[in-house]
Amino acid sequence: MPPMSRLGRLFAVVAWIEAFTWAGLLVGMFLKYVTGTTEAGVWLFGRLHGGAFVLFVVVTLVVGIRLRWGWFRTLVALASSVPPLTTLLAEWWLKRTGHLADPAEREAAREPDAELQPTR
């Protein structure tokens, strides 16, 4: 698996931030609507998650174009921002398949070494 590019690392960090703010918003909604104790969690994490969501969409579009993901991978990554915590799954999938690496390094890692190929 090729190493992650700078853009790939940026995507990973933003995916974790988006998931963290989602979790905070879920806890805030529990405290507000289930226990009725406070609205502070929704107030704070609602704003943080809104910003993280927009940042995730922008970063995903930029990274998808620059790392040549194609429309399917880009749409899956964008869709992962809707259900809670699924940006972590998208980040894991893209890292595992090597799509957070530079395209040239991804291709080089896919090609077998010339020394290992039999000669005729």
Side-chain angles (χ1 to χ4, degrees), residues 18-110:
E18 200 274 345
F20 175 77
T21 60
W22 237 131
L25 183 57
L26 291 173
V27 169
M29 289 190 304
F30 178 82
L31 293 174
K32 179 178 179 179
Y33 297 112
V34 176
T35 66
T37 55
T38 182
E39 296 181 11
V42 173
W43 181 87
L44 175 64
F45 281 100
R47 286 160 174 73
L48 291 174
H49 180 66
F53 174 81
V54 171
L55 179 64
F56 181 80
V57 168
V58 170
V59 167
T60 299
L61 290 172
V62 169
V63 172
I65 292 167
R66 298 281 305 274
L67 297 184
R68 299 185 204 139
W69 285 353
W71 66 269
F72 178 75
R73 272 185 199 85
T74 305
L75 286 178
V76 169
L78 287 170
S80 76
S81 64
V82 178
L85 310 177
T86 52
T87 56
L88 299 178
L89 293 175
E91 184 265 338
W92 174 78
W93 169 59
L94 291 165
K95 185 187 331 179
R96 187 169 180 262
T97 57
H99 287 91
L100 293 182
D102 285 321
E105 290 184 24
R106 190 168 59 230
E107 290 300 319
R110 212 178 296 173

